[in-house]
Amino acid sequence: LGPAGGDPPPAEAPAPPAPPAAELATAAELPPVEAAAQFIGKDVPDVATALAAARDILAEQLAHRPDLRQVARDVLQKRVTLTSRRRSGGDAQEEQRFKTYWEFDAPMHQVKPHQFLAIQRGESAKCLSLGFQVSSDDTQHLIDQLTAVFLGKPPPPRPTLADAPTPLRAGPAGPRARRANGAYQMEIRTAMEDGFKRLMLPSLQREWRRKLKERAEDEAFDTFGRNLKKKLLSPPLRLHPEWGSDAQRPTTAIIGVDPAFRTGCKCALISLTGQVLSTKTIFPHSPDGLVAAQRGLTEMLEEAMLVFGGADMGEEPPCKRLRTATGSTAWDCRVVCSIGNGTASRETEAWLRKQFADQKGLGYAIVDEAGASVYSASPLAAAELPDLDVCLRGAVSIARRLLDPLAELVKIDPRSIGVGLYQHDVDQKRLAEELRGAAMSCVNSVGVDLNTASPALLEHVAGLNGRLARSILKHREEKGGFKEHLET
């Protein structure tokens, strides 16, 4: 308080805040060194510290200004190079898989989606290092552009060959030469260069990587969807001109063969409705099991003849046992063997072709067995075929794939069918959604038979879920098939 009876002394006015160091850039009345000297104090011991602080603030402003970032994007859009280099210290055998990308350089806008996914996989395996490269000329031109935009000036044009000095003439005094005359502009340019290399470039590199990944994944999802539709919409056996339902003598049974050397070929005989009639394991590639394999195949053909002979119905048997001119047994029966394309596929095909040499009405086809083992061990297969061994379920799946590919393949996770490369390097959640959408598109474009479709197939019908599919199946079991649309 002041003297007794007097007014209190006026409070001291607060000192005006020191102007930010960035104002060095606009305080053009004094040279930068003299202007920086005004800020020397407890926290700023010398002129160099003041100038460095001003440049740091300008660099931060550069990194956070959207218009300057857009200038950098526009200038470098087609000037950035994606580089991939070999990383030392990894597994030598694993590194050989990525030998193509040990010294890989390509303009970023020309990089193919599969190339980026391959480099990304190599980087995850610690065999490759991915980076982005900007040439020094492009960097200097971009810094000129950033400095001009920051100062509110028109951006300078890119230097051409005519601007380069020669021994006989000096180069024109371009923007860079004129800018060198201003000390403040040189400080600003130094700050722009530091902000670009230290702050903006790493952020742009992350942005470029994200865009490349998004573009590669979009292309991968489109490829996966096309490949899956091609597999699902493969024509079923009934549409075959010679072996289908419209043929003069249609197929009466299918034998699915899951080939193997050591564990033998698993065989499954199914009807045209997909019902399993019998299963057997034969060893046609072993000298000790060759005779038994021939006998096992003959037994399955005889069973097909007995089941589909139609003798009890008073009809003409479609399968008849005949004798050829050489005295061997032949079958006037339409049976197709569906052979998986896995291990021992070619050897099994050659053996079957030899067995069918004198036969009439017997044929074979090679089908893709991708995902058959996944289906065999799935809960769905255990519910459909509870009495069969896991190995024999694969043969049933191979036979049904020839009978009706769409109805069988929808039971399997599309990621296990083999619909494209690098499917483990993309977003798995989106991949599952895209592939399920492609499967639903196929099912809805073809349609289903409500009285024969499996629950797995019904779940892919638009508007149906697992609960409704099970309700339809329960209705069929209790009340029989649907006779008209009103029942649904």
Side-chain angles (χ1 to χ4, degrees), residues 297-441:
L297 179 62
T298 302
E299 291 176 356
M300 297 196 81
L301 291 174
E302 287 180 348
E303 186 169 356
M305 182 191 68
L306 293 175
V307 172
F308 300 102
D312 297 337
M313 297 180 288
E315 301 175 356
E316 180 184 356
C319 299
K320 301 177 181 178
R321 189 168 184 173
L322 306 174
R323 286 285 179 179
T324 64
T326 58
S328 60
T329 302
W331 302 93
D332 184 19
C333 183
R334 305 290 280 183
V335 177
V336 180
C337 285
S338 177
I339 308 172
N341 65 344
T343 305
S345 175
R346 293 186 179 275
E347 291 78 6
T348 304
E349 176 191 359
W351 179 76
L352 282 175
R353 189 166 57 244
K354 183 178 179 181
Q355 301 302 312
F356 294 167
D358 296 333
Q359 308 289 347
K360 290 183 179 181
L362 301 182
Y364 68 89
I366 307 295
V367 299
D368 187 4
E369 67 173 26
S373 59
V374 176
Y375 165 76
S376 301
S378 66
L380 179 60
E384 289 184 347
L385 307 169
D387 299 330
L388 287 185
D389 184 76
V390 174
C391 298
L392 293 172
R393 293 173 189 168
V396 175
S397 178
I398 291 173
R400 289 176 175 173
R401 292 184 187 199
L402 179 63
L403 178 64
D404 190 347
L406 179 60
E408 184 63 22
L409 291 178
V410 295
K411 303 176 183 178
I412 306 171
D413 185 351
R415 290 172 291 183
S416 303
I417 301 178
V419 292
L421 299 175
Y422 307 108
Q423 62 182 12
H424 299 292
D425 300 298
V426 298
D427 185 358
Q428 296 300 302
K429 182 179 180 180
R430 184 183 170 191
L431 175 63
E433 293 175 354
E434 294 282 348
L435 294 181
R436 179 168 177 80
M440 291 185 66
S441 175

Side-chain angles (χ1 to χ4, degrees), residues 1 7 46 93 116 134 154 168 214 261 263 278 331 345 348 351 390 416 428 456 488:
L1 296 177
D7 296 330
D46 50 33
Q93 184 176 1
F116 179 78
V134 182
L168 298 181
E214 290 175 355
F261 287 115
T263 58
S278 66
W331 302 93
S345 175
T348 304
W351 179 76
V390 174
S416 303
Q428 296 300 302
T488 59

Side-chain angles (χ1 to χ4, degrees), residues 147-171:
T147 304
V149 174
F150 187 85
L151 295 175
K153 299 180 179 180
R158 180 179 291 275
T160 62
L161 186 61
D163 299 328
T166 66
L168 298 181
R169 62 176 173 81

Side-chain angles (χ1 to χ4, degrees), residues 209-325:
R209 177 189 283 262
R210 183 175 66 254
K211 288 185 176 180
L212 284 174
K213 183 177 180 181
E214 290 175 355
R215 188 181 69 179
E217 288 190 348
D218 290 342
E219 179 63 25
F221 293 139
D222 291 341
T223 302
F224 296 157
R226 290 194 302 269
N227 293 343
L228 179 61
K229 288 182 178 181
K230 188 179 297 184
K231 283 178 176 288
L232 295 180
L233 296 179
S234 300
L237 180 64
R238 67 175 181 275
L239 299 182
H240 194 279
E242 297 181 5
W243 297 83
S245 56
D246 295 334
Q248 186 176 3
R249 197 171 185 84
T251 301
T252 54
I254 300 175
I255 299 177
V257 182
D258 186 5
F261 287 115
R262 183 179 59 85
T263 58
C265 297
K266 277 70 68 178
C267 303
L269 175 66
I270 68 170
S271 67
L272 296 184
T273 60
Q275 180 184 1
V276 180
L277 304 175
S278 66
T279 57
K280 194 179 295 291
T281 302
I282 59 178
F283 295 84
H285 309 302
S286 172
D288 298 335
L290 184 59
V291 176
Q294 295 173 345
R295 184 170 59 251
L297 179 62
T298 302
E299 291 176 356
M300 297 196 81
L301 291 174
E302 287 180 348
E303 186 169 356
M305 182 191 68
L306 293 175
V307 172
F308 300 102
D312 297 337
M313 297 180 288
E315 301 175 356
E316 180 184 356
C319 299
K320 301 177 181 178
R321 189 168 184 173
L322 306 174
R323 286 285 179 179
T324 64

